Amino acid sequence: MSRRGLVWWPVAATVVPVCLLFAGVSAPGGYFFMLSAAFVAWFAVGVAWAAGAWRVVKPLPPPRSGARTWWSLLVVPAIFATSWAVASGNAIGRVAFALHRPALERLAAEAPTSPPWSASLYSFEHLGHWQGCTTMGTSDPATTREAGLLWCPGRSPGTHWDGEGLILTPIEDDWYVYHHGGRSNDPAGTEPWGLDLDRFGRRIET
């Protein structure tokens, strides 16, 4: 394979970890398995990129003929940094919710009594009712002990959840997102969406 091919194959391969990363943070609390797969995929891309970079840098190509190849080495790090920054915020979660809200409302209205509970990108481990609201708990959350969506048509959920250690955040109209303040003694000022490596880990039931 040519040196140019060794450089551009990792660039094309970044599609896999980026999609996994964004899907992993699409739900409140994130998906542990999806994010773990994204990390593994990024590691594989990084190894391939490093091998290609070594093949390019080692022979030290002439500055003019190798200029495009040198610049191409910056593409993978740029994609990595950009996708990581986007995944760390709440943009992916809010956009995913807006796009899939009709499917979520159908699921909440139908309220099936047995799994699987899913709607497009969303996978839930439980679906229940509380004070006139429908609760939809994220499956295997990655960055909090408990997280999910709350649909309260025509009413407000009030503050009754405070005693459970859960934080409610309004999204749109009758929809809210909830998440636990932390896995143990973490501060309560956390966001329901986005990647937070300090909190990443498989939930341990107690």
Side-chain angles (χ1 to χ4, degrees), residues 6-203:
L6 287 170
V7 171
W8 285 108
W9 268 111
V11 173
T14 58
V15 173
V16 175
V18 168
C19 289
L20 288 171
L21 185 64
F22 287 174
V25 297
S26 62
Y31 296 117
F32 179 83
F33 177 80
M34 198 79 70
L35 289 174
S36 298
F39 299 155
V40 172
W42 267 124
F43 178 78
V45 169
V47 170
W49 175 84
W54 174 250
R55 289 286 299 275
V56 169
V57 173
K58 187 177 180 181
L60 293 176
R64 291 185 179 180
S65 62
R68 290 185 179 179
T69 304
W70 280 92
W71 277 109
S72 64
L73 291 176
L74 301 177
V75 176
V76 170
I79 294 175
F80 173 80
T82 302
S83 64
W84 204 272
V86 173
S88 297
N90 64 5
I92 297 297
R94 289 189 174 275
V95 169
F97 173 82
L99 291 175
H100 302 294
R101 178 175 173 177
L104 288 167
E105 289 188 348
R106 284 195 299 271
L107 178 64
E110 293 170 1
T113 56
S114 59
W117 296 295
S118 60
S120 300
L121 290 175
Y122 295 90
S123 177
F124 302 107
E125 64 183 4
H126 65 79
L127 193 68
H129 297 281
W130 177 87
Q131 297 289 328
C133 299
T134 299
T135 59
M136 311 165 79
T138 301
S139 293
D140 200 17
T143 58
T144 185
R145 192 169 68 194
E146 187 176 357
L149 296 170
L150 186 69
W151 185 46
C152 298
R155 66 182 306 279
S156 170
T159 59
H160 298 286
W161 285 54
D162 292 347
E164 303 295 329
L166 298 174
I167 302 170
L168 286 179
T169 303
I171 312 176
E172 295 178 3
D173 303 327
D174 301 325
W175 282 93
Y176 301 80
V177 60
Y178 70 87
H179 72 291
H180 202 275
R183 290 183 175 275
S184 55
N185 295 321
D186 292 341
T190 60
E191 293 293 332
W193 278 303
L195 179 62
D196 186 347
L197 288 182
D198 290 338
R199 300 172 184 277
F200 179 78
R202 182 175 290 278
R203 176 184 54 187

